[in-house]
Amino acid sequence: MIEVEHLTKYYGSVRAVDDITFTVERGEVLGFLGPNAAGKTTTLRMLTCYMPPSSGTARIGGYDVFDDSLKVRSKLGYLPEHVPLYTDMRVSHYLDFVSRVKGIDALERTRAINLALGRCGLSDVREHIIGTLSKGYRQRVGLAQALIGDPEVLMLDEPTTGLDPRQITEIRELIKDLGTGHTVVLSTHILPEVSMICDRIIIIDKGKLIAMDSMENLTRSLTKSQMTQINVKGDQGRVMETLKHVPGVLAVDRKHEVDLTGGGVVYVVHSRIDADVREEIARAIVKNGFGLHEMRPYSLSLEDIFLMLTSEDPDKRGRRN
């Protein structure tokens, strides 16, 4: 549905997007990740025909973003990071305005507006002035304008920025529902959101595409050791030294998680891929008088993967566990 080939964008001498290539299948929900200034928003702006690429190309539904921009725009809905709402308009009037801009036929317009209102949970506030709505509801209005005309592709740039936890959950569930009938590209800094919603992940950094795969495959490719998470009560320095001397253990990381009720500290123990060291770890902890509160297998989270691949430290970047 989306084909991107060698897409590049310069701002003066600065290369904001650097020769990226990827595809998104019809009906797929893609997580588009990267640190601040990685090139995410610039990429979305090129894909939505907001700005032309410096070189390379992209196609949406077979139409080129440069040569057939009007065709491309007819196939997509775009929610930018800062939603351009007219806050003095009523919700229904604003969506009517958007449907007219999109060229929706007068006979179809009412149905399209009602469909967007219903899907975004806005039917009860359709006659409210946008400026009087909460931020969560204004975000829903932004999603509704993207949905007007039932486009095949939705591009959502930081759709939950600035929302409270309840609003984030509501918008997340809405996006998950939208993914059942649309191709969705979701750019966000909230990594659990991506893990729960997206079929596949792309990570870019400094304009370059550095990873593209499913969460499962990325975890498998970056995991080169067995990992065990333990919660231990005792002097942290002595615990670390004890664990490092267990046969088969390669490294020990102390996590920034503390068991406030029991006083334990969380560690991740890396061991040889062919070695099960759990019994030896437990024996060493008990023998040295420490308290073992918990032991369980540990796998890389999306946050772990993101930090590994985008670290500013050359020694840590791309480090394999």
Side-chain angles (χ1 to χ4, degrees):
M1 190 64 193
I2 302 174
E3 303 166 275
V4 176
E5 296 180 359
H6 305 292
L7 200 64
T8 301
K9 180 65 179 180
Y10 283 92
Y11 292 120
S13 61
V14 176
R15 191 183 303 179
V17 176
D18 189 358
D19 192 30
I20 64 174
T21 297
F22 64 89
T23 60
V24 186
E25 300 299 325
R26 186 180 299 274
E28 184 176 19
V29 181
L30 178 77
F32 196 53
L33 309 178
N36 288 330
K40 304 186 303 298
T41 295
T42 297
T43 301
L44 292 185
R45 286 176 174 175
M46 289 188 285
L47 294 180
T48 55
C49 307
Y50 183 84
M51 62 172 60
S54 300
S55 62
T57 189
R59 290 180 293 276
I60 310 291
Y63 295 105
D64 188 280
V65 296
F66 190 81
D67 296 329
D68 299 296
S69 66
L70 291 180
K71 289 283 189 181
V72 169
R73 294 177 208 196
S74 71
K75 288 188 170 292
L76 61 83
Y78 179 37
L79 177 67
E81 182 176 0
H82 303 290
V83 187
L85 300 175
Y86 293 106
T87 55
D88 58 342
M89 295 181 72
R90 298 186 186 277
V91 173
S92 60
H93 295 173
Y94 171 71
L95 295 180
D96 180 71
F97 165 73
V98 170
S99 66
R100 291 171 185 269
V101 170
K102 290 188 175 184
I104 296 175
D105 184 85
L107 297 175
E108 178 66 16
R109 202 173 295 147
T110 299
R111 192 196 72 84
I113 293 170
N114 288 336
L115 180 63
L117 287 168
R119 296 200 72 180
C120 295
L122 292 168
S123 298
D124 291 342
V125 297
R126 62 182 301 150
E127 297 307 320
H128 287 216
I129 294 173
I130 293 173
T132 67
L133 299 176
S134 68
K135 187 163 186 177
Y137 268 96
R138 292 200 298 273
Q139 202 74 344
R140 287 175 178 267
V141 175
L143 278 170
Q145 67 80 24
L147 279 170
I148 287 289
D150 198 26
E152 297 178 57
V153 178
L154 290 172
M155 296 197 181
L156 312 177
D157 192 1
E158 302 289 350
T160 57
T161 296
L163 303 185
D164 65 35
R166 181 184 295 275
Q167 293 168 337
I168 288 173
T169 300
E170 292 173 352
I171 297 297
R172 183 185 295 156
E173 289 301 315
L174 175 57
I175 294 169
K176 188 185 298 184
D177 178 61
L178 294 175
T180 61
H182 302 79
T183 301
V184 180
V185 177
L186 172 65
S187 172
T188 179
H189 283 101
I190 303 176
L191 300 184
E193 208 161 70
V194 176
S195 299
M196 288 185 279
I197 296 174
C198 298
D199 304 311
R200 198 159 51 99
I201 301 161
I202 283 179
I203 301 176
I204 67 170
D205 190 21
K206 297 181 176 64
K208 291 182 176 292
L209 193 154
I210 58 175
M212 177 174 58
D213 215 327
S214 66
M215 179 71 182
E216 180 182 355
N217 288 342
L218 282 174
T219 301
R220 186 183 300 116
S221 67
L222 292 172
T223 302
K224 303 302 180 184
S225 65
Q226 285 199 54
M227 290 178 286
T228 305
Q229 179 170 302
I230 58 175
N231 186 329
V232 181
K233 182 178 181 180
D235 179 81
Q236 295 182 33
R238 289 184 57 220
V239 170
M240 293 278 284
E241 283 302 309
T242 298
L243 294 173
K244 288 177 181 178
H245 285 90
V246 173
V249 170
L250 303 174
V252 181
D253 294 329
R254 183 173 56 238
K255 300 192 72 177
H256 297 293
E257 297 178 22
V258 178
D259 177 7
L260 297 178
T261 58
V265 175
V266 178
Y267 305 84
V268 176
V269 180
H270 304 261
S271 58
R272 294 200 319 267
I273 201 74
D274 60 343
D276 186 348
V277 299
R278 288 174 295 179
E279 289 186 15
E280 296 298 326
I281 289 172
R283 188 176 294 114
I285 290 171
V286 173
K287 180 180 178 181
N288 284 273
F290 306 128
L292 178 59
H293 293 183
E294 181 189 30
M295 176 184 293
R296 60 184 174 87
Y298 179 81
S299 59
L300 292 176
S301 67
L302 182 54
E303 181 178 2
D304 294 326
I305 293 171
F306 183 85
L307 292 174
M308 287 167 60
L309 295 175
T310 62
S311 173
E312 294 291 337
D313 186 341
D315 294 328
K316 294 180 179 178
R317 184 163 181 160
R319 173 184 168 188
R320 301 296 188 261
N321 285 289

